[in-house]
Amino acid sequence: MTVRILYLAKYRIPHACFSLQWDHMLQSIDRTVVVSPVPKEDIWPVLQKYNIDVSKFDYVSDQEILAKYPEVEHWVLPDDYRGNWLRQQALKLSSLDYLDYDIALMHDPDTFMIRPYQCYSNDTLNYLVIENTTHGSYEGMFKSITGHERQTPHCFVTELVPVRKTHITAMREFLERMHGQHWLDAMIDHCPGMATIPPWGKGEIIKWFSEYEFIGNWAMTQEYVETTPQLRFEYDRLEKRSEEHTSELQSQSTISYAVFCLKK
């Protein structure tokens, strides 16, 4: 079974009301699991108001996951100006271990496909990538935690990331065997730090981690995967899409995959 896991913080619900209008571009998704701190009875009516069919949607609360993975709270670090930014990544990783699926598509709802995308076919995962891109903040993260080199020059931070459940199980067992501690603690404890600079700080060491970079690189240590370039457009109002991107999109007939990203 292939499920889409949709992560809905409260401020993401308006994003989802728009981005889910493009669900027809996500192919071969059997069900959607909404993971959120907001109660289901508050989310479903809002989605239905915008004609989103929730008949194949399931719900899991953040608290249900946190009860099983209290180590998530260890990702809230002192002197971190980003607040719970790391914690929400630990929560996503925990959901991958907790939920029942064969293949999952992690989906941040500020991003949606504008051309068809199938994350899994012929027993092969298909990862969207930003080609030849390195996020400097994440440099060395994967090697520091796993001992493995980064597997590709491409970036997996695309907000639409497939996962095979057996990879998550293997990752958990590998990290606990390697580091002798709970796998979530192993990740954050061995994630490298970087000094802050003004105006964000005065040299305090904070940690940079990307769940998407980690999962994509880990998958490549487990099996062959396909990668497809992700063409990205960003806008902060709907008018901007038609003003700036319509003609560009029409001219990109040779590019197979593209997304729009809603800017905060």
Side-chain angles (χ1 to χ4, degrees), residues 195-210:
T196 58
I197 58 174
W200 298 280
K202 300 178 180 179
E204 301 91 347
I205 301 299
I206 61 173
K207 299 193 174 193
W208 289 90
F209 180 90
S210 167

Side-chain angles (χ1 to χ4, degrees), residues 1-8 16 20 23 26 29-35 44 47 52-60 99 105 107:
M1 180 172 65
T2 300
V3 304
R4 184 253 309 268
I5 306 176
L6 190 68
Y7 298 100
L8 278 189
L20 294 180
D23 266 7
L26 297 179
I29 300 296
D30 299 308
R31 297 195 68 83
T32 290
V33 178
V34 173
V35 177
W44 261 229
L47 299 181
I52 295 165
D53 181 7
V54 297
S55 62
K56 292 186 178 181
F57 281 31
D58 301 304
Y59 173 85
V60 174
L99 296 173
L105 178 66
H107 184 189

Side-chain angles (χ1 to χ4, degrees), residues 175-186:
L175 292 174
E176 294 189 345
R177 186 169 59 250
M178 179 181 182
H179 296 294
Q181 59 186 139
H182 190 277
W183 61 280
L184 285 170
D185 288 337

Side-chain angles (χ1 to χ4, degrees), residues 8-15 38 264:
L8 278 189
K10 186 175 183 179
Y11 76 96
R12 291 291 199 196
I13 295 175
H15 297 168
V38 182
K264 301 183 187 66

Side-chain angles (χ1 to χ4, degrees), residues 24-249:
H24 56 285
M25 295 298 179
L26 297 179
Q27 300 180 339
S28 303
I29 300 296
D30 299 308
R31 297 195 68 83
T32 290
V33 178
V34 173
V35 177
S36 178
V38 182
K40 174 182 175 180
E41 56 268 24
D42 293 339
I43 300 174
W44 261 229
V46 177
L47 299 181
Q48 291 170 322
K49 178 181 177 181
Y50 292 93
N51 300 314
I52 295 165
D53 181 7
V54 297
S55 62
K56 292 186 178 181
F57 281 31
D58 301 304
Y59 173 85
V60 174
S61 71
D62 283 9
Q63 288 303 317
E64 182 178 340
I65 297 172
L66 290 169
K68 185 172 176 62
Y69 302 88
E71 295 81 7
V72 167
E73 301 298 348
H74 300 168
W75 288 52
V76 181
L77 303 178
D79 299 320
D80 192 338
Y81 69 89
R82 301 163 302 178
N84 287 334
W85 182 74
L86 287 170
R87 179 183 181 271
Q88 57 92 17
Q89 296 183 67
L91 185 66
K92 288 180 182 180
L93 292 167
S94 299
S95 74
L96 296 177
D97 189 56
Y98 180 66
L99 296 173
D100 183 25
Y101 59 89
D102 299 312
I103 305 296
L105 178 66
M106 302 174 73
H107 184 189
D108 282 350
D110 60 341
T111 300
F112 54 93
M113 299 300 299
I114 57 174
R115 294 189 179 175
Y117 168 57
Q118 189 164 349
C119 70
Y120 177 74
S121 64
N122 299 321
D123 201 34
T124 303
L125 295 170
N126 177 17
Y127 281 87
L128 295 168
V129 296
I130 305 172
E131 289 189 300
N132 300 310
T133 297
T134 300
H135 283 272
S137 300
Y138 306 136
E139 187 72 28
M141 180 239 346
F142 186 68
K143 183 176 181 180
S144 180
I145 296 171
T146 68
H148 295 298
E149 296 288 345
R150 186 177 181 223
Q151 301 294 297
T152 174
H154 309 319
C155 174
F156 292 102
V157 185
T158 58
E159 284 71 54
L160 287 155
V161 177
V163 187
R164 193 188 292 273
K165 182 59 179 275
T166 56
H167 291 178
I168 299 301
T169 301
M171 176 195 74
R172 168 170 49 81
E173 293 173 351
F174 172 85
L175 292 174
E176 294 189 345
R177 186 169 59 250
M178 179 181 182
H179 296 294
Q181 59 186 139
H182 190 277
W183 61 280
L184 285 170
D185 288 337
M187 281 181 150
I188 195 61
D189 286 353
H190 294 275
C191 183
M194 181 181 296
T196 58
I197 58 174
W200 298 280
K202 300 178 180 179
E204 301 91 347
I205 301 299
I206 61 173
K207 299 193 174 193
W208 289 90
F209 180 90
S210 167
E211 72 279 34
Y212 297 141
E213 275 288 276
F214 193 95
I215 287 168
N217 278 279
W218 178 257
M220 293 187 74
T221 69
Q222 302 299 296
E223 63 178 68
Y224 169 78
V225 303
E226 298 279 357
T227 59
T228 300
Q230 184 189 60
L231 178 66
R232 297 170 70 89
F233 300 95
E234 293 187 353
Y235 66 98
D236 52 17
R237 69 181 194 278
L238 297 185
E239 294 81 0
K240 198 171 173 185
R241 176 187 161 204
S242 58
E243 291 169 3
E244 299 179 9
H245 297 313
T246 299
S247 61
E248 184 174 2
L249 276 173

